[in-house]
Amino acid sequence: MTSSFLNSFSSEWIKKRRTLASWLVIVGGFFTPCMIILARILRAEKLPAYYSSPHFWETLWRNAWESMALFLLPVGVILATSLITQLEYRNNTWKQLHIVPLSFTTLFFSKLAVIVVMLLQFFIFFNFGLYLSAVVPSLIFSSRGVPYPQEPIPFINFLKENVYYFVDCLPIVALQ
């Protein structure tokens, strides 16, 4: 049972590579952080005061997740889930899927696992991009007095919020 699930999962993962779902995860994860970097480069005169704020990380986190959680994350989850679940129908290979010596439960859960792993990848890319959106402007404008944020990163709070957003995405995946 376990080996058939792992084989099915690896098969679904290989099939996913030929879709736009991988690019959707990468571009979606880095889109908001890139927009933040661009906005900070365009408004560089406000950066020294912003980076000296005692609540720098919480403000950055809240501003980044406002746009992400309201529109981009749900739409991205819907698109990625649809791309994975409709893969066989789009390529007209669904008949071949029915003759595979695996149960439909194994096929279903392997597709679901691929979608969940892609969602985890999205969160990793987004958080890494968010960190870069804090570091890159301070590196570019360090000669203008923009310091690296002195406040420590609240990892536990960010991890807890990521778990909340991840759990909030699961009903969208289930509906698809």
Side-chain angles (χ1 to χ4, degrees):
M1 176 76 174
T2 315
S3 66
S4 63
F5 174 77
L6 291 176
N7 288 336
S8 180
F9 177 81
S10 65
S11 165
E12 294 296 328
W13 192 259
I14 291 169
K15 287 191 283 187
K16 174 205 64 97
R17 290 191 326 195
R18 294 185 174 242
T19 68
L20 290 176
S22 297
W23 287 107
L24 184 68
V25 168
I26 295 168
V27 171
F30 285 111
F31 180 75
T32 299
C34 287
M35 292 298 113
I36 290 171
I37 291 171
L38 183 64
R40 289 188 178 169
I41 289 173
L42 294 176
R43 295 184 183 145
E45 66 278 354
K46 297 179 182 179
L47 290 180
Y50 184 67
Y51 274 74
S52 300
S53 169
H55 302 288
F56 173 79
W57 292 108
E58 287 86 7
T59 306
L60 173 66
W61 181 265
R62 187 177 54 252
N63 291 339
W65 273 107
E66 281 177 357
S67 64
M68 184 59 72
L70 289 177
F71 180 69
L72 295 174
L73 184 61
V75 170
V77 170
I78 290 169
L79 288 174
T81 304
S82 297
L83 284 170
I84 296 301
T85 56
Q86 298 296 320
L87 189 64
E88 281 80 19
Y89 289 102
R90 190 181 51 225
N91 293 335
N92 204 17
T93 58
W94 61 272
K95 293 175 189 173
Q96 292 174 352
L97 188 66
H98 287 288
I99 62 168
V100 174
L102 296 172
S103 68
F104 289 130
T105 307
T106 303
L107 293 171
F108 173 80
F109 281 112
S110 63
K111 281 188 179 290
L112 180 64
V114 167
I115 294 168
V116 169
V117 169
M118 286 175 50
L119 191 57
L120 287 171
Q121 282 180 329
F122 171 82
F123 278 94
I124 290 169
F125 290 143
F126 181 75
N127 285 303
F128 181 69
L130 205 55
Y131 177 74
L132 288 178
S133 73
V135 172
V136 168
S138 70
L139 290 175
I140 293 174
F141 299 111
S142 62
S143 62
R144 294 188 191 176
V146 178
Y148 180 82
Q150 297 302 317
E151 178 187 3
I153 302 172
F155 288 110
I156 301 299
N157 292 343
F158 289 173
L159 182 63
K160 186 175 11 172
E161 292 291 323
N162 273 315
V163 169
Y164 289 149
Y165 283 118
F166 179 78
V167 170
D168 288 342
C169 289
L170 292 179
I172 298 171
V173 170
L175 285 174
Q176 289 293 314

